[in-house]
């Protein structure tokens, strides 16, 4: 069996600070590229008086540099912390993989960009369990740190779980969610699995990793064959599939390059050791795009940090954890605490009828075409009869009304909660309702008059008689409307 050997021992705080202070000026950005390869700029709802916007893709400012220096560049930390020894360091496959990766520096460029989000969290979870830090290499080998990666054998996520193993280790997989792609849950499951394999093979990490790739049954079969043939039963002597035979050399090659990137002509972008994401419990079913819109976050970033939610929505039952950028978590929590936003997030289903078009549906629900397209992943305005569309709505004192997430979205939402800013007709309706009586129902709500609107056009748009529209808003035949005016739209 291969004993765990500590190459570098425990670093003292002084040594960590000295190593951190030796880092260069880091003029490069912490992250670059697009989408998940870059942390996009994000706006917060609690900007400073100068309205500065928090950026997740900053040039390394003094503050950011202090964070990196204080917590240490994660790559440097790993270089000091790798502790596993390979039983066959002269394996020619290691040299072959080192050469391959060295000749393709773009590979590590991609990996180090993605690592910004995922690797600090993974290392932190490994540290909590007292496992070898070397195990952080596995998702690099498995998926190049892509949580959406899917193999030809239907293995998915950072850690490449096949459906059966994922289910065995508690990863939910259904119409709503695939937790194999959720890097929080899949990391938990992967470390559970690796701990199990290490225990099964008496802490022989080579056999554990071979089993992670090929399955413990296949490795155990190879061991039994060697026992019958009176051959050694360590990894190097086992008859294993070619992919598994290459698995550890590839693992060691990547670790060697991370340990000495300059030697291999590789550039690893500096990333902090502390987690760059935080997990917030939404407590109920929540639409990610709607949440992003209401809180001025980048919807693509939220979607890509939470790819396990297959419909862009947390499931009706089960976990409602949402990964958000750590530097926005405090602001986000503060905003939610003040506005009780979790209680307002909701969405409704609209079944497209013959002759309907997207702009009319958006107007009916008092939202915008682009919002509906984004919530439903529509690339064009084309819709079909029988198609279902998710529509953003918000709940007000047990009622349901449409949300305008457009330019006046914030004021629209606040108007529903502040009777003083509603029309007199709206105030009258709310004041005169009986206990438990709903004034507004699904599909009904407050309509914000737009440029060139007329009462006749609005009545036609919502399919209500003109006289009824006038009566519900305290108007008569001579009344006119102006852009920005609020009208009650209530179907009888």
């Amino acid at each position: 069996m291969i004993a765990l050997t500590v190459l570098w021992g425990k670093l003292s705080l002084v040594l960590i600070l000295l190593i951190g202070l030796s880092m260069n000026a880091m003029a490069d950005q912490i992250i670059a590229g697009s989408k998940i390869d870059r942390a996009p700029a994000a706006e917060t709802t609690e900007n400073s008086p100068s309205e500065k916007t928090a950026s997740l893709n900053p040039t390394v400012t003094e503050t950011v540099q202090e964070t990196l220096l204080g917590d240490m560049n994660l790559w440097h930390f790993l270089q000091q912390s790798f502790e596993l020894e390979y039983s066959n360091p002269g394996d020619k496959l290691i040299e072959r993989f080192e050469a391959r990766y060295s000749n393709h520096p773009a590979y590590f460029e991609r990996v180090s960009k993605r690592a910004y989000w995922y690797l600090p969290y993974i290392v932190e979870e490994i540290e909590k369990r007292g496992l070898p830090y070397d195990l952080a290499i596995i998702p690099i080998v498995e998926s190049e740190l892509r949580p959406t990666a899917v193999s030809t054998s239907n293995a998915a996520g950072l850690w490449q779980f096949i459906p059966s193993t994922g289910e065995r280790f508690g990863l939910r997989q259904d119409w709503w969610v695939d937790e194999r792609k959720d890097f929080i849950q899949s990391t938990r499951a992967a470390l559970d699995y690796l701990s199990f394999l290490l225990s099964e093979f008496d802490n022989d990490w080579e056999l554990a990793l071979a089993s992670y790739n090929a399955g413990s049954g296949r490795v155990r079969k190879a061991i039994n064959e060697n026992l019958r043939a009176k051959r050694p039963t360590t990894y190097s002597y086992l008859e294993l599939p070619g992919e598994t035979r290459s698995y550890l050399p590839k693992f060691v090659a990547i670790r060697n390059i991370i340990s000495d990137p300059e030697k291999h002509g590789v550039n690893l972008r500096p990333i902090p050791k502390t987690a760059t994401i935080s997990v917030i419990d939404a407590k109920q079913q929540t639409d990610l795009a709607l949440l992003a819109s209401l809180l001025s976050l980048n919807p693509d970033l939220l979607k890509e940090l939470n790819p396990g939610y297959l419909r862009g929505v947390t499931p009706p039952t089960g976990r409602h954890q949402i990964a958000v950028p750590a530097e926005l978590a405090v602001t986000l929590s503060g905003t939610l605490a003040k506005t009780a936003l979790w209680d307002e997030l909701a969405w409704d289903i609209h079944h497209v009828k013959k002759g309907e078009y997207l702009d009319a549906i958006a107007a009916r629900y008092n939202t915008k075409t682009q919002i509906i397209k984004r919530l439903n992943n529509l690339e064009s305005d084309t819709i079909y009869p029988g198609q279902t569309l998710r529509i953003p709505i918000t709940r007000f004192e047990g009622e349901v009304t449409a949300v305008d997430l457009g330019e006046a979205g914030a004021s629209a939402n606040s108007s529903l909660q502040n009777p003083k800013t509603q029309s007199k007709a709206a105030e009258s309706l709310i004041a005169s309702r009986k206990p438990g009586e709903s004034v507004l129902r699904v599909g009904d709500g407050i309509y914000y008059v737009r440029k060139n609107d007329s009462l006749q056009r609005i009545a036609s748009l919502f399919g209500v008689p003109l006289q009824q529209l006038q009566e519900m808003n305290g108007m008569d035949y001579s009344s006119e409307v102006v852009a920005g005016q609020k009208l009650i739209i209530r179907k009888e």
Side-chain angles (χ1 to χ4, degrees):
M1 297 301 172
I2 307 302
L4 302 179
T5 305
V6 178
L7 298 178
W8 289 97
K10 299 295 183 179
L11 295 176
S12 68
L13 178 61
V14 174
L15 179 56
I16 291 177
L17 292 173
L18 287 175
I19 294 172
L21 291 170
S22 69
M23 295 173 65
N24 57 35
M26 298 179 195
D28 292 337
Q29 293 179 327
I30 292 181
I31 8 166
S34 62
K35 291 195 174 181
I36 206 62
D37 287 342
R38 179 189 62 191
E43 299 174 357
T44 70
T45 54
E46 294 186 344
N47 289 333
S48 63
S50 61
E51 293 299 314
K52 291 183 180 179
T53 302
S55 173
L56 296 182
N57 185 25
T59 300
V60 178
T61 61
E62 183 177 348
T63 301
V64 174
Q65 195 171 34
E66 284 177 2
T67 300
L68 285 172
L69 291 175
D71 293 319
M72 195 176 186
N73 180 353
L74 182 60
W75 299 116
H76 289 184
F77 174 82
L78 288 175
Q79 289 163 9
Q80 320 303 322
S81 304
F82 290 143
E83 59 185 84
L84 301 178
E85 288 188 346
Y86 186 37
S87 61
N88 186 17
D91 192 334
K92 296 298 182 183
L93 281 176
I94 297 176
E95 294 180 14
R96 190 179 304 173
F97 282 117
E98 285 180 354
R100 178 186 298 179
Y101 292 126
S102 297
N103 291 332
H104 296 86
Y107 172 87
F108 273 97
E109 182 75 10
R110 294 192 302 270
V111 165
S112 64
K113 288 176 185 178
R114 298 180 188 127
Y116 175 84
W117 292 115
Y118 308 122
L119 207 55
Y121 178 84
I122 291 169
V123 169
E124 188 175 277
E125 292 303 302
I126 288 173
E127 189 171 71
K128 287 178 183 177
R129 295 175 181 241
L131 294 169
Y133 290 106
D134 310 58
L135 300 184
I137 303 294
I138 294 176
I140 300 177
V141 176
E142 292 284 351
S143 66
E144 297 182 18
L145 285 174
R146 287 184 298 128
T148 56
V150 179
S151 74
T152 55
S153 60
N154 200 27
L158 284 176
W159 299 88
Q160 289 291 283
F161 275 98
I162 60 173
S164 59
T165 308
E167 183 178 358
R168 178 184 172 192
F169 285 91
L171 295 179
R172 179 175 172 178
Q173 301 161 66
D174 54 33
W175 190 83
W176 289 99
V177 64
D178 186 346
E179 289 184 339
R180 296 178 302 160
K181 297 179 180 179
D182 181 317
F183 78 94
I184 302 294
Q185 291 303 320
S186 66
T187 296
R188 185 267 310 158
L191 298 183
D192 285 348
Y193 188 21
L194 288 164
S195 296
F196 169 80
L197 292 173
L198 283 167
S199 176
E200 180 178 356
F201 291 100
D202 299 323
N203 281 335
D204 188 320
W205 72 272
E206 294 181 352
L207 296 181
L209 263 62
S211 297
Y212 189 90
N213 177 258
S216 58
R218 181 67 184 84
V219 172
R220 185 65 66 187
K221 179 181 177 181
I223 290 173
N224 290 335
E225 288 174 353
N226 277 21
L227 285 173
R228 285 192 294 269
K230 297 183 179 180
R231 293 196 302 265
T233 57
T234 51
Y235 169 78
S236 299
Y237 291 91
L238 299 181
E239 292 292 332
L240 295 169
E243 179 185 333
T244 308
R245 174 57 56 200
S246 298
Y247 192 76
L248 262 69
K250 185 184 295 186
F251 176 96
V252 175
I254 290 176
R255 190 183 64 177
N256 289 348
I257 292 173
I258 291 175
S259 296
D260 194 352
E262 291 186 7
K263 174 183 175 182
H264 297 89
V266 167
N267 177 47
L268 297 175
R269 294 170 178 265
I271 53 178
K273 181 178 179 292
T274 52
T276 52
I277 59 96
S278 293
V279 179
I280 291 177
D281 186 358
K283 299 180 182 178
Q284 67 177 36
Q285 189 171 27
T286 301
D287 189 303
L288 297 181
L290 179 56
L291 173 63
S293 298
L294 290 173
L295 297 175
S296 299
L297 296 178
N298 186 307
D300 290 335
L301 177 60
L302 266 192
K303 180 180 177 182
E304 294 188 44
L305 288 180
N306 298 274
Y309 296 127
L310 304 180
R311 311 298 163 187
V313 182
T314 65
T317 59
R319 296 186 183 96
H320 301 293
Q321 294 176 325
I322 298 176
V324 299
E327 63 183 82
L328 296 184
V330 174
T331 298
L332 181 58
S333 298
T335 300
L336 295 173
K338 282 193 252 181
T339 62
L341 202 53
W342 291 133
D343 296 329
E344 299 169 7
L345 292 175
W347 51 280
D348 190 28
I349 292 292
H350 176 85
H351 299 280
V352 178
K353 299 179 180 63
K354 186 177 181 179
E356 285 189 314
Y357 56 95
L358 207 54
D359 286 345
I361 294 172
R364 174 183 173 186
Y365 287 96
N366 197 31
T367 185
K368 292 199 179 285
T369 300
Q370 286 302 115
I371 296 294
I372 296 179
K373 288 173 67 175
R374 190 168 67 211
L375 290 184
N376 294 276
N377 297 318
L378 300 178
E379 296 182 358
S380 70
D381 290 354
T382 304
I383 54 176
Y384 308 93
Q387 185 175 356
T388 58
L389 298 175
R390 284 188 290 135
I391 308 294
I393 58 176
T394 188
R395 301 192 180 279
F396 169 57
E397 294 182 359
E399 303 154 6
V400 182
T401 184
V403 178
D404 184 349
L405 296 178
E407 296 174 359
S411 60
N413 197 28
S414 61
S415 71
L416 294 173
Q417 301 179 50
N418 184 359
K420 293 182 180 179
T421 62
Q422 298 181 32
S423 66
K424 290 183 178 180
E427 289 181 13
S428 176
L429 277 174
I430 292 173
S432 63
R433 68 176 177 170
K434 298 177 182 179
E437 178 185 7
S438 178
V439 176
L440 303 173
R441 297 189 295 269
V442 175
D444 306 335
I446 304 294
Y447 177 75
Y448 290 80
V449 177
R450 302 176 185 181
K451 186 177 180 180
N452 299 325
D453 267 347
S454 67
L455 280 173
Q456 182 62 61
R457 178 187 179 281
I458 296 169
S460 298
L461 186 66
F462 287 91
V464 298
L466 175 59
Q467 183 178 356
Q468 181 180 317
L469 178 64
Q470 292 169 336
E471 289 175 354
M472 69 178 64
N473 286 279
M475 297 178 170
D476 57 31
Y477 68 92
S478 63
S479 299
E480 297 181 353
V481 292
V482 295
Q485 184 176 350
K486 306 174 186 66
L487 294 179
I488 293 256
I489 306 295
R490 185 182 186 192
K491 288 189 167 184
E492 300 297 334

